[in-house]
Amino acid sequence: MCLVTCMPLSRQESERYSRQLIVPGIGLRGQAKLKNASVLVAGAGGLGGVVLAYLAAAGVGRLGFADPGLLELSNLNRQIFYKTRDLGRAKVRLLASFLKDLNPRVRLEPLRLKLDSENLAPLLKKYGLVADCTDNFEARFELNKACVRAGRTLVHGAVYGFEGQLAVIAPRGGPCLKCVFPHMPPRLKGYTPAPGPAPGAIGAMQAAEVIKIICGLPHLRGRLVIYDFAHGAAHSVRLKRRRACGVCGKRDEG
Amino acid sequence: MRDEGCMVKITVMVYTTLRARLGFSRTELEGGTVHELLLKLAVSGMTDISKMLFEDDGAVRNHFVLTLNSELLDNRKTKKVKVKAGDILHVFPPVSGG
């Protein structure tokens, strides 16, 4: 492991990553950690595409991304990495092509599937870290549960209109997403409002958290930050573990 | 009514669906406990959100997250949490858009 970690960068890599190599806390060591890292991104929508673009650009070695969807016209106000001419095509395939052009050295693993309790457990074994970029509560809670069980850190991002939430859920010792939101809210009628810049900003922040976690920099572990883009405000909450939590509390179900 | 001495003014911030229903994101309300403030909040906006915010037994619906000065509160114990002048109460539901 140390041998790989200490491996020098090629001349091309040194130039490609030159602006982040000079960031305190990243440097050659951090860059090597990024190269050796693997991240699973759940969802290839407004959040997922942005997270993936920044992680590929930063040189994260291996990126898995799962989404069953096809590109729709209503995606394009916020999912700016897709093209109008590609409507109807599988999003993970399109994204793989975009990411390959951005950074050919990154290993890409597009997964055209809906994540569920069955496929998550074996999948999580293959990745070191997970970013939650899904668009519904069922998927988010399923992912939270699977990450707690598999011992994977989960970087949570979500948006509603000009508002967003960001959190880092550490697997051991909690608190987990279910500690914060023990109950699913009633299903909303219609679609979630999503002006493009909101998932763009939250996705970029999720990518920043992933990069900081991999490089060993201080990050948002155990905190939830609510961003209010409508008023230029942020509210940070220290999360508490619920002893009776069905997911991370005393065994079992949930 | 409660003793007037217990009433203090605090700031209440609301998010997402609550904003849409109430028509504001921030307001100042007077009360003695978090529960009293939430009762006032429910009837202080464009639409009455009492049914959205409270269970039939009067408890705050458990999918809402409450924080007082950035500390998480237990939704079942809001009647016991007294507020001080200048406190900030946040009320937000989880969001799922991506």
Side-chain angles (χ1 to χ4, degrees), chain B residues 10 59 69:
Chain B
I10 78 156
N69 303 326

Side-chain angles (χ1 to χ4, degrees), chain A:
Chain A
M1 186 71 187
C2 183
L3 271 179
V4 185
T5 311
C6 303
M7 234 163 42
L9 300 175
S10 70
R11 183 188 292 230
Q12 277 233 328
E13 285 174 316
S14 299
E15 189 173 340
R16 177 185 282 270
Y17 304 121
S18 58
R19 301 305 193 272
Q20 68 194 47
L21 286 168
I22 54 175
V23 174
I26 298 186
L28 279 171
R29 261 184 92 89
Q31 195 60 52
K33 286 181 185 171
L34 289 168
K35 194 173 177 177
N36 290 326
S38 58
V39 180
L40 176 67
V41 177
L47 292 171
V50 172
V51 171
L52 284 160
Y54 279 118
L55 296 185
V60 171
R62 191 159 59 84
L63 292 170
F65 41 107
D67 194 303
L70 306 175
L71 184 62
E72 296 174 19
L73 190 56
S74 63
N75 297 154
L76 290 174
N77 83 307
R78 59 199 183 283
Q79 299 176 23
I80 55 175
F81 25 84
Y82 296 124
K83 296 188 174 71
T84 305
R85 64 164 186 256
D86 287 329
L87 292 176
R89 297 182 62 193
K91 290 166 86 170
V92 288
R93 301 262 167 249
L94 296 168
L95 206 46
S97 152
F98 168 82
L99 297 169
K100 193 175 174 223
D101 285 344
L102 177 58
N103 191 348
R105 299 294 294 270
V106 173
R107 242 176 88 189
L108 301 168
E109 296 169 352
L111 303 155
R112 196 178 159 198
L113 52 83
K114 186 174 187 286
L115 294 172
D116 57 34
S117 55
E118 295 218 340
N119 59 28
L120 268 170
L123 203 53
L124 289 185
K125 288 187 184 153
K126 295 162 63 183
Y127 298 94
L129 196 65
V130 183
D132 178 4
C133 303
T134 57
D135 62 359
N136 63 87
F137 288 114
E138 290 81 359
R140 289 179 180 283
F141 285 125
E142 208 57 73
L143 201 55
N144 173 63
K145 188 160 71 179
C147 283
V148 169
R149 294 205 170 148
R152 296 293 183 269
T153 296
L154 178 66
V155 179
H156 164 86
V159 291
Y160 183 98
F162 279 111
E163 296 170 55
Q165 295 177 358
L166 180 68
V168 173
I169 310 290
R172 289 184 184 84
C176 78
L177 196 65
K178 197 87 173 165
C179 292
V180 196
F181 302 113
H183 299 271
M184 225 180 272
R187 199 178 282 270
L188 292 174
K189 285 181 194 138
Y191 298 106
T192 303
I202 294 292
M205 291 173 184
Q206 278 181 283
E209 291 308 311
V210 171
I211 290 169
K212 290 189 295 174
I213 292 166
I214 293 170
C215 293
L217 292 166
H219 57 82
L220 267 185
R221 180 187 171 135
R223 297 196 78 88
L224 170 76
V225 185
I226 301 170
Y227 291 97
D228 180 352
F229 301 116
H231 299 89
H235 173 49
S236 175
V237 183
R238 181 164 294 286
L239 303 177
K240 278 189 208 157
R241 189 172 187 190
R242 284 191 315 117
R243 282 183 144 202
C245 176
V247 174
C248 73
K250 299 222 176 209
R251 305 273 118 176
D252 199 337
E253 87 251 58

